Amino acid sequence: MSEALVAIENLNVTYRGSGPPAHILNSVDLSIGRGQAVGLVGESGSGKSTVAFALVGLLANNAEVSASRAAFDGHENIFATKTAETLRGTDVAMIFQDPMTALNPMFTIGTQLVDIQRRRRPGESRKSLWARAEAVLADVGVPDAPKRMHRYPHEFSGGMRQRVVIAMALLVEPKLLIADEPTTALDATIEAQVVEVLKRLRQKTASSMLVVSHSMGLIAELCDNVVVMYAGTVVESGPVEEVLHRPRHPYTRALLACEIDPYAAFDPSQDLATIAGTVPDPARRPAGCVFAPRCSSRHERCNGTPPRRQAGSRHAFSCWQEATR
Ligand SMILES: Nc1ncnc2c1ncn2[C@@H]1O[C@H](COP(=O)(O)OP(=O)(O)O)[C@@H](O)[C@H]1O
Ligand SMILES: [Mg+2]
């Protein structure tokens, strides 16, 4: 088997400031195979974006990053050597929750879709870059692409802007495409359309993908594997099918119980379940199992660090409970 595109082991991120150090990520492992799509799921504040931002070298200056292994496509130590920064925009492209973070309000979409290709295709004529941009824009479902190329970001709706950003990411022809909550800012109908675009893209490109979302439903639609994060740690990981149908960690089960079926008719009589309690403050994480204070199956032994258990050849979870179901 060829080496994974991304191999991160024991990733730790700590923010140092005036207060106590905030350990945001604790021993996170992440492996993304070539052409594979991996989802990172967990509640808000669990550290998903921190993993994504670390991969593109976009963490704040006061972040201290360490890992036992940090490899990307044959480059080792991508954090220590600042390789992560140089990969951004060529080998790695990122789609954010808010498309405006990726778009410049001062330039037309066409100009931005042309400029994004320059690093990848130096020397190619503007005319040819423009033609490719127009084709990709039409491909992600922007109607009237030739005309829209001459328009500014503010002339697009939120859903159309996110399509433009997806086109931009595709034009980079990255080895890894990171999408951080790509549909969270969109309303449900538009979200379903953007998911379709991402799904189609998944089938068409050879790029690997890292999809960050608080929604297991979105991950299930787009990914092969899923990594479940809670309070800066990985609590469960494995093939999407297995984790979805046979979740082993109480946190994964709770997350799934909270999930609404995005395609089911909305039933206002049904309350959305929530997980009692909140994600702990990173500066005040409980010792032992970080989920224990909110876990309905907690036990005294949960005061100690839970063991990592295999539930299948590629399915693992960290819990004291060995439950089979
Ligand atoms: N620059 C920073 N300094 C200190 N803490 C930060 C900084 N950036 C993010 N955090 C903290 O890191 C934690 C994880 O955040 P994040 O990775 O954005 O989570 P998620 O994407 O899962 O919602 C949060 O508690 C957040 O407050
Ligand atoms: Mg986030």
Side-chain angles (χ1 to χ4, degrees):
M1 212 167 70
S2 68
E3 248 274 277
L5 179 74
V6 176
I8 307 288
E9 287 164 26
N10 192 22
L11 172 63
N12 296 290
V13 171
T14 299
Y15 282 109
R16 293 191 189 277
S18 47
H23 303 290
I24 303 299
L25 297 183
N26 293 293
S27 195
V28 168
D29 292 344
L30 176 70
S31 166
I32 308 174
R34 286 169 203 276
Q36 196 182 44
V38 174
L40 263 187
V41 73
E43 283 164 289
S44 175
S46 50
K48 307 180 298 294
S49 294
T50 305
V51 174
F53 279 62
L55 277 172
V56 286
L58 279 177
L59 290 178
N61 287 333
N62 62 331
E64 199 179 276
V65 184
S66 75
S68 338
R69 173 127 198 258
F72 182 97
D73 195 29
H75 303 277
E76 294 286 339
N77 297 319
I78 60 162
F79 303 131
T81 57
K82 307 260 176 212
T83 309
E85 277 100 316
T86 60
L87 295 172
R88 187 173 73 233
T90 50
D91 286 347
V92 185
M94 191 152 168
I95 301 168
F96 298 92
Q97 177 175 333
D98 175 6
M100 283 313 277
T101 46
L103 296 170
N104 187 328
M106 307 293 285
F107 295 101
T108 63
I109 295 302
T111 299
Q112 297 184 59
L113 292 178
V114 161
D115 287 346
I116 197 83
Q117 299 175 70
R118 296 219 188 263
R119 272 177 80 182
R120 182 62 82 199
R121 303 171 182 277
E124 193 172 314
S125 75
R126 181 175 169 85
K127 198 174 162 204
S128 142
L129 295 175
W130 187 277
R132 184 181 300 100
E134 201 175 280
V136 172
L137 194 61
D139 201 37
V140 297
V142 173
D144 252 339
K147 226 191 249 166
R148 297 283 189 105
M149 287 282 281
H150 298 280
R151 303 256 181 265
Y152 290 85
H154 74 265
E155 299 177 87
F156 288 71
S157 66
M160 282 298 152
R161 270 182 213 149
Q162 198 58 304
R163 287 175 198 253
V164 171
V165 173
I166 294 170
M168 216 155 158
L170 286 177
L171 285 163
V172 169
E173 294 179 6
K175 290 178 178 147
L176 175 67
L177 181 66
I178 301 178
D180 189 351
E181 308 272 8
T183 62
T184 305
L186 307 173
D187 64 47
T189 331
I190 309 296
E191 168 172 19
Q193 291 168 7
V194 171
V195 170
E196 278 314 308
V197 172
L198 289 167
K199 256 166 102 170
R200 221 158 41 77
L201 178 162
R202 250 297 267 154
Q203 289 151 4
K204 275 180 72 172
T205 69
S207 302
S208 301
M209 271 173 84
L210 178 66
V211 182
V212 173
S213 179
H214 61 280
S215 155
M216 194 69 109
L218 180 79
I219 303 282
E221 289 221 53
L222 294 172
C223 299
D224 309 297
N225 285 352
V226 60
V227 174
V228 184
M229 287 188 64
Y230 180 74
T233 65
V234 173
V235 295
E236 182 159 1
S237 64
V240 163
E241 289 285 305
E242 280 188 44
V243 175
L244 209 60
H245 298 297
R246 287 185 299 281
R248 300 293 291 271
H249 197 283
Y251 179 64
T252 313
R253 288 190 206 153
L255 257 190
L256 287 169
C258 294
E259 191 108 347
I260 37 167
D261 179 352
Y263 301 107
F266 179 62
D267 176 2
S269 68
Q270 216 169 7
D271 278 340
L272 183 60
T274 52
I275 308 175
T278 50
V279 177
D281 178 339
R284 284 177 205 82
R285 264 218 193 99
C289 174
V290 281
F291 186 59
R294 297 172 75 188
C295 185
S296 53
S297 354
R298 109 185 124 253
H299 193 268
E300 233 166 85
R301 62 194 171 179
C302 303
N303 294 326
T305 305
R308 188 175 161 82
R309 301 179 187 279
Q310 287 300 130
S313 62
R314 294 187 300 129
H315 181 184
F317 66 108
S318 298
C319 183
W320 280 106
Q321 194 174 261
E322 211 173 336
T324 45
R325 256 248 46 99

